[in-house]
Amino acid sequence: MRESAVERHDRLLALVRERGTARVSDLAAQLGVSPVTARRDVEALAAKGLLDRVHGQVSWPRGQGGAERRAGGEPAAAAPGSGPVLGLLAPSATYYFAEVIRGAREAAARAGARLILRISDYRPEDDRARTEGLLAAGAEGLLVAPGWRAPGDQAEHSDWIAELPVPAVLLERRATPGSALDGLDRVSSDHRHGVVLAVRHLVGLGHRSPLLVARADSPTALAVRSGYAEALGALGLDEPGPVIDSVPSELDPEGFEAAVRALHSAVASGAATAALVHNDVDAIQMVQRLAELGVRVPEDLALIAYDDEVAALADTPLTAVAPPKRQVGRLATDLLVERLAQAAADRAEGGGEAPVEVPDGRPEEDPRRHVTLLPRLRVRASCGAGQPKPN
């Protein structure tokens, strides 16, 4: 099977992490690709802040030392290497998760920790092997964002996570209530709240219940779908029609066209004047295709995108729900570093004061935390703000 770009990036990052510094030409030879391909990969990873690139060489990013403070009053990074080694399992290093990884890297740098990355490419069956690779590379704690896609993936591919031998924090994922995974620390976005923000904004502009156009191929997409039903109920709105199933246009052009046609039909019939579309890429492509079919945004259809990765770059800048991706990465890393520091302090105390015990005789641990961050709504031209309300 041909290696994907994500897998090649994963191998490139692992090579640079192991060496510290490497020439691009040497990386090309190690990866078995042309120098042009290696240079393009390095540029892409450096643009995401995952590598440092200078004069034909790349190096593993290091935090800033010294006693200065960052803009905004944040403390500067601790000395590189003074903290623990942290492993991060992510389903992708692009689009949504690029910002999550950037936030994790910033928090790790502040703590003087070394962050190492493995990518699953949204193949949950590979998550365990990738995580074992992180542990073999020396990870003392783990940030875990499993590559779940389908509704049944969590049940089928998650038992091992609760049995990890080091502290772990679930990253931008929610466990099934009552499952073993639900007892782990986690930091995630509240997508239900994000959907409520979007629906309330459109209704406040005078639109009836907005339609939802959404994928069903990621935890975020599934959370948006469930949050949509909850939002309609919470706001006392009737469901305007079935959720319109969307798919990536590059993978299923006919399926994507069917979604566009369904939305066009709803607008043409007067059944809908507003829609929430997950995700940004689909929303931009839908706006383009709808224009070809005679539907204008925002004049005929007020539209809000979900994710806010590239929504502002559309011809008509798209209003978008923006999950706090970078902050999720930062807080999850801070929580993991705190857990590791507590464990180190407990080991250092040794024969000191005995820990508090619960009735069954075991030491009492600090309670686990489920931290939920709220998305924001960034209002732009596509929702029709400031225009006459529809009749």
Side-chain angles (χ1 to χ4, degrees), residues 250-331:
E250 67 275 14
L251 298 179
D252 186 355
E254 292 182 359
F256 181 79
E257 179 65 15
V260 172
R261 292 283 179 174
L263 182 55
H264 173 268
S265 177
V267 175
S269 67
T273 61
L276 170 64
V277 180
H278 177 273
N279 58 27
D280 284 11
V281 174
D282 289 1
I284 289 175
Q285 292 175 323
M286 283 188 176
V287 169
Q288 295 169 348
R289 184 71 185 102
L290 287 170
E292 295 171 355
L293 297 173
V295 172
R296 302 164 300 165
V297 171
E299 292 85 355
D300 304 315
L301 176 70
L303 188 144
I304 295 180
Y306 200 100
D307 275 353
D308 201 32
E309 285 288 312
V310 293
L313 304 180
D315 291 345
T316 300
L318 304 182
T319 295
V321 176
K325 300 176 282 285
R326 197 166 185 171
Q327 291 83 353
V328 166
R330 286 175 180 169
L331 286 180

Side-chain angles (χ1 to χ4, degrees), residues 194-215:
V195 175
V196 168
L197 290 179
V199 173
R200 180 185 289 139
H201 184 73
L202 290 169
V203 171
L205 292 173
H207 298 279
R208 301 187 300 274
S209 300
L211 277 171
L212 174 65
V213 183
R215 297 186 183 186

Side-chain angles (χ1 to χ4, degrees), residues 365-388:
E365 296 182 348
D366 286 346
R368 294 288 178 248
R369 301 180 206 168
H370 291 173
V371 181
T372 304
L373 304 184
L374 302 183
R376 294 179 178 177
L377 183 69
R378 292 175 178 158
V379 178
R380 304 186 182 102
S382 68
C383 63
Q387 295 200 5

Side-chain angles (χ1 to χ4, degrees), residues 118-198:
R118 291 289 169 98
I119 307 297
S120 72
D121 199 20
Y122 282 99
R123 291 198 295 262
E125 63 273 16
D126 292 345
D127 283 344
R128 186 167 192 168
R130 298 282 191 230
T131 303
E132 288 172 351
L134 290 169
L135 293 171
E140 302 164 59
L142 293 167
L143 300 164
V144 182
W148 302 330
R149 302 190 74 164
D153 283 347
Q154 182 177 161
E156 185 176 354
H157 300 288
S158 67
D159 288 348
W160 59 274
I161 301 175
E163 300 171 357
L164 287 168
V166 299
V169 178
L170 273 182
L171 189 63
E172 203 62 294
R173 297 289 185 260
R174 293 195 178 197
T176 301
S179 67
L181 215 55
D182 200 32
L184 292 180
D185 290 313
R186 70 172 182 246
V187 180
S188 61
S189 301
D190 187 345
H191 297 301
R192 176 202 57 80
H193 180 78
V195 175
V196 168
L197 290 179

Side-chain angles (χ1 to χ4, degrees), residues 8 19 40-41 55 90 133 146 183 199 210 228 268 274 276 299 366 372:
R8 191 172 65 249
R19 298 181 179 189
R40 185 168 58 242
D41 289 346
H55 303 307
V199 173
Y228 175 67
L276 170 64
E299 292 85 355
D366 286 346
T372 304

